[in-house]
Amino acid sequence: MKEDFNPKTPDREGVRYLSYGASVDPPIWSAFYQSHRIVDKEEGANDGLVSVESSKWGDYKGTLVNVSHLDLINWTNRLRWLVWEMTGNKRKQGHFRHAWLEYS
């Protein structure tokens, strides 16, 4: 990406670029288990699909920990949340959404 895409896609003057990264250590049954291992070997900490290093663009605001790519795009499996809550756990809802709202 840095050698191919980035040079061909310059920042636009007058646009403020902000970014966040995310990292997670998915369990073996996660859909992201294998992709996480591959990305981790090549680029380090990642959200299951995108490395923290790759996510840095413009003003990097920080890394969200224990957040997967699906969490970031709000597609987290609803059954997972149901089971999670039935076992007495609480959702991590909203702990990173406020970050985006700060810059809207």
Side-chain angles (χ1 to χ4, degrees), residues 67-78 81 91 93-94 96-97:
V67 175
S68 76
H69 196 77
L70 289 181
D71 292 329
L72 285 176
I73 63 171
N74 201 24
W75 281 17
T76 304
N77 185 312
R78 291 180 189 267
W81 285 127
R91 281 186 177 203
Q93 180 177 349
F96 55 88
R97 289 185 197 146

Side-chain angles (χ1 to χ4, degrees), residues 27-91:
I28 196 165
W29 60 83
S30 169
F32 288 127
Y33 184 74
Q34 290 300 331
S35 59
H36 179 275
R37 288 180 61 200
I38 293 166
V39 175
D40 189 62
K41 185 183 279 188
E42 295 296 319
E43 297 187 24
N46 66 86
D47 65 4
L49 289 179
V50 179
S51 73
V52 169
E53 200 55 40
S54 303
S55 66
K56 295 178 180 179
W57 192 273
D59 183 7
Y60 188 70
K61 303 311 265 179
T63 303
L64 307 169
V65 179
N66 293 324
V67 175
S68 76
H69 196 77
L70 289 181
D71 292 329
L72 285 176
I73 63 171
N74 201 24
W75 281 17
T76 304
N77 185 312
R78 291 180 189 267
L79 180 58
R80 179 180 132 198
W81 285 127
L82 176 63
V83 172
W84 185 252
E85 290 172 343
M86 288 174 59
T87 57
N89 296 290
K90 294 188 182 206
R91 281 186 177 203

